[in-house]
Amino acid sequence: MSSTGEPMSGTHEHDDDEELRWLDEQEKAAWTGLISLVLLLPGKLESPLRQEHGLTLFEYLVLSHLSEAPRRKLRMGELAFLASGSLSRLSNVVKRCENRGWVVRTPDPADGRYTLAELTDAGFDIVHLAAPTHLRSVRRIVLDSLNTTDQKALARIAQKLRIVPDDFG
């Protein structure tokens, strides 16, 4: 961009022949709003979990999804998808949770190529204690500001933009 905010021509080559379309005001407002949510919301939701329970938001999401799963077990790939993380990130978090006695990993008896994560009773206890903290934050920071129409629109948009991690499978 030049100092006037106009794109500078000839400074970058593009892989495709498609003309670059700059954002109009509506697109810019949508993008700026989304990226602000993506960057700021996790920290706002994580802060009370860290302060009150020593959990990161991702740890809480992992434990929560396991607590809701049949027999408190999920394949690691499915858990990574549900918690919106990569398998490598999930593996690191599950290892920390194993060290705390909250999760155990075992080969999937139906297909040994997969690994199951299982929530222990101690893990269930910590997620049960942390759930009200998380719920209060979700309501205060997100849901209480939205009416039913807004909530439905947010769910629809989130589904359209759902990103599957590269190593999901």
Side-chain angles (χ1 to χ4, degrees):
M1 290 257 182
S2 70
S3 60
T4 64
E6 294 296 316
M8 296 171 60
S9 60
T11 57
H12 298 284
E13 289 193 28
H14 299 283
D15 293 292
D16 55 309
D17 293 332
E18 185 179 321
E19 184 179 331
L20 186 61
R21 294 183 318 127
W22 295 97
L23 302 180
D24 64 29
E25 289 304 312
Q26 180 179 323
E27 291 170 327
K28 186 175 180 183
W31 170 244
T32 302
L34 176 62
I35 200 66
S36 293
L37 285 173
V38 168
L39 296 175
L40 299 175
L41 189 57
K44 290 184 178 290
L45 293 172
E46 184 172 284
S47 183
L49 287 169
R50 277 193 180 274
Q51 290 174 357
E52 296 181 35
H53 306 284
L55 291 171
T56 67
L57 179 59
F58 190 68
E59 288 169 337
Y60 174 79
L61 292 173
V62 166
L63 297 173
S64 176
H65 285 297
L66 285 172
S67 76
E68 295 172 349
R71 297 178 330 276
R72 298 186 201 163
K73 292 181 187 180
L74 286 170
R75 281 185 175 173
M76 291 285 285
E78 183 179 359
L79 183 55
F81 178 74
L82 291 170
S84 301
S86 67
L87 274 172
S88 60
R89 181 178 186 199
L90 177 66
S91 291
N92 290 329
V93 166
V94 168
K95 184 175 184 174
R96 284 197 309 268
C97 290
E98 279 182 308
N99 291 339
R100 294 173 173 171
W102 297 342
V103 174
V104 293
R105 283 187 277 194
T106 57
D108 186 341
D111 188 338
R113 296 175 298 169
Y114 297 99
T115 300
L116 295 174
E118 180 179 356
L119 189 66
T120 65
D121 289 341
F124 184 82
D125 289 346
I126 190 69
V127 77
H128 183 75
L129 286 171
T133 301
H134 182 64
L135 178 60
R136 282 191 294 274
S137 295
V138 167
R139 289 201 173 280
R140 181 178 49 79
I141 296 167
V142 180
L143 297 176
D144 289 348
S145 299
L146 305 175
N147 63 31
T148 302
T149 302
D150 294 335
Q151 291 173 11
K152 288 179 181 177
L154 182 58
R156 189 184 78 252
I157 291 165
Q159 183 61 40
K160 282 185 174 185
L161 299 179
R162 184 73 173 176
I163 296 171
V164 178
D166 290 339
D167 56 1
F168 178 70

